[in-house]
């Protein structure tokens, strides 16, 4: 197994992982983005934040990324996390490995809090967040209409480093390459 940074060239393979989730409430999107739309998402996120891909042999089996949680300047030290795995590759500890590396990179950037948004119920995702020390911050009830019914989402939160007067958030690309490579293993 190998974890590396995503590139725009990964868009097609990542869309193949994402596509099965469209028929579920895991994502609130209704239609599959085009390859070019997905490339643009990767490009936008990777301008500042880590976007990781997990491979096993020649197969791409999952991905995870962090992105800005809220827009105002005072929120810059927070990041929302997202993760998608091939359905046949869940329950193997891959989510934990991806999230752990992602969080460590976000720490180096200066992020203080990370958040996960989970459509509930979703036992695997809820268990992943709780196993990594997240706590449930609250539930937004009936917040999205998907799969023929109104869905609730739970927000999970975790402080990942001490508070105090922070430096401005650093781009992932401002972190020395050897530090990033060490984290990716």
């Amino acid at each position: 197994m190998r974890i590396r940074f995503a590139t725009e060239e990964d868009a097609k393979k990542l869309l193949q992982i994402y596509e099965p989730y469209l028929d579920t409430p895991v994502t609130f999107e209704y239609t599959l983005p085009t390859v070019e739309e997905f490339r643009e998402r990767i490009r936008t996120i990777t301008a500042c934040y880590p976007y990781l891909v997990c491979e096993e042999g020649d197969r791409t089996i999952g991905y995870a990324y962090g992105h800005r949680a809220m827009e105002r300047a005072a929120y810059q030290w927070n990041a929302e996390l997202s993760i998608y795995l091939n359905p046949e590759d869940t329950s193997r500890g891959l989510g934990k490995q991806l999230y752990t590396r992602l969080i460590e990179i976000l720490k180096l950037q200066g992020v203080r809090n990370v958040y996960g948004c989970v459509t509930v119920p979703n036992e695997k995702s809820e268990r992943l967040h709780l196993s990594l020390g997240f706590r449930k911050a609250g539930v937004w009830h009936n917040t999205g209409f998907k799969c023929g019914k109104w869905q609730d989402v739970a927000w999970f939160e975790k402080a990942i480093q001490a508070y105090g007067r922070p430096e401005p958030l650093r781009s992932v690309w401002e972190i020395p390459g050897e530090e990033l490579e060490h984290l990716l293993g």
Side-chain angles (χ1 to χ4, degrees):
M1 186 188 71
R2 178 180 153 208
I3 296 176
R4 63 171 176 80
F5 286 102
T7 68
E8 294 174 39
E9 287 72 40
D10 292 309
K12 187 173 181 180
K13 287 183 179 181
L14 301 186
L15 270 172
Q16 290 171 343
I17 293 170
Y18 186 64
E19 185 172 18
Y21 292 100
L22 284 177
D23 294 330
T24 75
V26 169
T27 178
F28 278 7
E29 276 194 282
Y30 283 5
T31 57
L32 188 67
T34 66
V35 172
E36 186 49 45
E37 288 169 333
F38 217 75
R39 275 191 189 115
E40 180 58 30
R41 290 179 187 188
I42 294 169
R43 186 173 22 253
T44 300
I45 291 167
T46 60
C48 184
Y49 293 93
Y51 200 129
L52 305 179
V53 172
C54 183
E55 298 173 320
E56 194 169 63
D58 62 349
R59 285 186 339 117
T60 301
I61 58 176
Y63 64 96
Y65 57 91
H67 59 93
R68 191 165 182 137
M70 294 161 268
E71 289 305 311
R72 301 289 187 255
Y75 291 123
Q76 69 183 284
W77 298 278
N78 301 307
E80 184 180 342
L81 310 182
S82 293
I83 186 166
Y84 292 92
L85 301 173
N86 273 329
E88 64 271 12
D89 290 303
T90 62
S91 302
R92 295 179 44 202
L94 301 173
K96 196 173 229 178
Q97 290 183 48
L98 279 165
Y99 252 27
T100 298
R101 286 172 172 87
L102 189 61
I103 290 168
E104 289 303 313
I105 294 168
L106 290 165
K107 280 183 192 177
L108 292 175
Q109 289 183 257
V111 170
R112 297 303 198 274
N113 302 300
V114 289
Y115 300 94
C117 179
V118 178
T119 307
V120 290
N122 181 335
E123 185 180 319
K124 289 180 182 181
S125 189
E126 292 173 80
R127 193 170 52 236
L128 170 66
H129 286 87
L130 294 172
S131 75
L132 289 170
F134 285 74
R135 70 177 184 86
K136 191 183 276 188
V139 176
W140 292 358
H141 299 279
N142 301 307
T143 196
F145 189 81
K146 183 84 186 273
C147 299
K149 67 179 200 170
W150 287 98
Q151 305 286 342
D152 295 346
V153 295
W155 281 92
F156 291 84
E157 66 181 358
K158 179 179 180 176
I160 61 172
Q161 61 182 314
Y163 299 99
R165 188 158 192 82
E167 296 293 322
L169 187 71
R170 295 195 309 173
S171 165
V172 67
W173 307 114
E174 293 176 60
I175 300 167
E178 60 275 1
E179 288 183 53
L180 294 173
E181 287 303 317
H182 172 73
L183 288 174
L184 295 181

